[in-house]
Amino acid sequence: MIMSRISRFRWNLRYAFVWRKPLLIYYLTKRMVEIMLFKKRRLRYVDFALDFTCNQSCQHCFAKAYDRQYELGRDHLSKFDYERISREAIALGAVSFSIQGGEPFAMMKDTVKVMSSLPKNRCLISIKSNGSLITVEKLRLLASLGLDIVTISLDSGFPEEHDEFRGHKLAWQKALEGIKFCKQENIKVMLACTIGSQNIRSKGFLRLIELSSELGVLLLLIYAAPTGKWQGQTECLLKEADFSLIKELLNKYKHLRTDFDANWFKKGCGALKEIIYISQYGDVMPCPFIPISFGNLFRDSLLTVWEKSNDAPFFSKYSSTCLIGEDQDFIKKYSQAIKSAKRLPISWEDFLQTL
């Protein structure tokens, strides 16, 4: 048991502590002391969405589905806005910033805009990507702006299964090339896989676990959710027996992680407590898979929006289950609210009326 914990800690240390960024290590340590000794509430992670542009067409994509429902013609956040928001987030405790889309490597101008607005020496910076458009030249540019980690989505350890899910030939091969380029440039890599009832016991998923171990990288397990292109499709959800299997896999393979494993200390869903997702239009949401806006950063401060979640039903406490992938009560109420929504994201106030 002790050796198992040491092994998991070593994996965490390898990704969280970037030794070339001593300021980041200082603030990580400071935040942990503030939480442990002084019981302060601290933000940890900010997820910036760039746009919905992408070169692939995944079966579960939330971005392409949202693209059809977000109001067109809205103002996008500027570099000045990102600088202001990052300052506000850091004041609330944030030490980690992530950029996603769509596909960030298909939107290099926007990716550079966001990354150049972040204080690169005091925060952990990551990008979520399908891996197919990664080049050495792009990586070197982003590394100069502070890039630490690239999280690459792989849906199977078998190329043909991944390509079919992504709707793009050679997607698997391109993703593996992207991993190679990241390693070559000393940028850390994580893999991410959405798991649901359709693949949790598949040979492709088991092969992916083996592949991530062979590559020496963490594999993040993302629970399938009835949102995006899977809106209302509850058959994709994991079953009770599946969660028992996931627990066994987490105990057996020390390089597997879920979002619950990244919290400061408390176990459970960190949405709106430690994690926030910010759209290109300034909407603040719990996570990419829950398009419910608690406020907009063109008119509200991040502190004002964050404090709104203090007593919010479902979000005020660390839920022991993934709200959108596991909590049947939330999923039912969310589905009802989304079904009647004229556009996304819906406001928290409108969502409350369905409770």
Side-chain angles (χ1 to χ4, degrees):
M1 179 64 74
I2 293 177
M3 293 304 296
S4 174
R5 289 180 179 176
I6 291 175
S7 177
R8 294 187 72 84
F9 177 75
R10 288 176 63 185
W11 273 101
N12 293 345
L13 192 67
R14 184 171 147 197
Y15 280 83
F17 283 75
V18 181
W19 302 111
R20 70 176 182 279
K21 293 184 175 183
L23 268 180
L24 168 61
I25 297 173
Y26 166 75
Y27 282 107
L28 274 169
T29 305
K30 181 181 179 182
R31 297 296 181 246
M32 289 189 284
V33 170
E34 289 172 344
I35 295 166
M36 287 180 66
L37 297 184
F38 301 105
K39 309 301 180 185
K40 291 187 176 181
R41 183 174 182 247
R42 285 288 180 253
L43 192 64
R44 174 178 55 83
Y45 180 91
V46 177
D47 210 353
F48 285 123
L50 295 179
D51 205 332
F52 302 126
T53 301
C54 188
N55 63 318
Q56 295 184 356
S57 183
C58 304
Q59 293 179 15
H60 66 335
C61 182
F62 69 89
K64 289 290 180 67
Y66 292 173
D67 195 13
R68 295 191 296 270
Q69 291 180 273
Y70 272 80
E71 184 178 341
L72 299 178
R74 299 177 66 193
D75 290 335
H76 283 58
L77 296 173
S78 67
K79 185 175 185 296
F80 172 80
D81 292 320
Y82 284 113
E83 289 173 346
R84 170 179 56 83
I85 293 166
S86 65
R87 287 195 300 269
E88 293 179 1
I90 287 171
L92 296 176
V95 292
S96 183
F97 292 84
S98 179
I99 298 169
Q100 65 166 281
E103 172 50 50
F105 284 94
M107 300 176 280
M108 283 296 291
K109 183 178 179 180
D110 290 325
T111 301
V112 168
K113 176 179 71 174
V114 177
M115 287 192 61
S116 61
S117 72
L118 301 173
K120 64 179 182 180
N121 293 321
R122 62 170 293 169
C123 58
L124 189 71
I125 302 175
S126 61
I127 286 178
K128 296 174 182 175
S129 169
N130 61 43
S132 65
L133 298 177
I134 294 175
T135 66
V136 170
E137 291 73 23
K138 290 177 181 178
L139 289 174
R140 288 177 180 173
L141 170 59
L142 298 179
S144 71
L145 298 174
L147 178 63
D148 300 300
I149 302 170
V150 176
T151 299
I152 295 177
S153 298
L154 273 184
D155 305 298
S156 172
F158 299 136
E160 61 277 8
E161 290 185 356
H162 175 80
D163 292 357
E164 180 181 2
F165 191 82
R166 294 271 146 180
H168 200 275
K169 290 184 178 180
L170 301 180
W172 195 90
Q173 179 180 322
K174 291 290 186 180
L176 267 289
E177 288 178 359
I179 294 170
K180 181 185 73 174
F181 293 148
C182 289
K183 285 177 165 284
Q184 177 182 315
E185 297 303 311
N186 295 315
I187 294 172
K188 298 171 186 177
V189 177
M190 286 181 62
L191 298 183
C193 176
T194 297
I195 53 171
S197 58
Q198 76 283 0
N199 69 337
I200 183 63
R201 300 173 189 277
S202 70
K203 292 181 180 180
F205 175 56
L206 293 177
R207 173 59 192 139
L208 182 58
I209 294 176
E210 295 172 353
L211 177 62
S212 56
S213 179
E214 292 165 7
L215 292 169
V217 300
L218 284 177
L219 174 59
L220 177 64
L221 307 182
I222 302 171
Y223 296 168
T227 190
K229 286 186 178 179
W230 283 351
Q231 181 63 48
Q233 298 182 30
T234 55
E235 63 272 15
C236 72
L237 296 173
L238 293 160
K239 308 297 189 294
E240 186 175 344
D242 298 331
F243 287 107
S244 297
L245 174 59
I246 291 170
K247 186 176 181 180
E248 293 175 13
L249 293 172
L250 289 170
N251 287 331
K252 181 177 181 180
Y253 299 101
K254 307 312 172 190
H255 69 293
L256 298 189
R257 294 291 185 276
T258 69
D259 283 333
F260 284 19
D261 298 312
N263 293 341
W264 284 119
F265 294 105
K266 292 185 178 181
K267 195 80 171 177
C269 175
L272 291 180
K273 291 161 289 294
E274 298 187 16
I275 305 168
I276 55 172
Y277 172 75
I278 301 175
S279 78
Q280 63 269 40
Y281 305 117
D283 299 304
V284 180
M285 294 171 272
C287 80
F289 312 114
I290 305 178
I292 299 173
S293 175
F294 274 71
N296 187 279
L297 298 180
F298 279 116
R299 61 175 182 268
D300 306 308
S301 72
L302 185 58
L303 174 61
T304 299
V305 178
W306 193 47
E307 286 184 335
K308 186 188 290 188
S309 67
N310 279 347
D311 301 312
F314 293 110
F315 296 104
S316 61
K317 297 180 180 179
Y318 288 78
S319 170
S320 61
T321 59
C322 173
L323 290 174
I324 192 62
E326 193 176 355
D327 189 311
Q328 295 298 327
D329 185 34
F330 179 82
I331 291 170
K332 180 180 178 181
K333 290 177 170 57
Y334 163 82
S335 298
Q336 291 172 344
I338 293 295
K339 189 179 296 184
S340 60
K342 294 182 179 179
R343 72 173 185 87
L344 295 177
I346 63 172
S347 70
W348 174 246
E349 289 73 21
D350 287 344
F351 178 76
L352 279 177
Q353 292 181 12
T354 69
L355 299 183

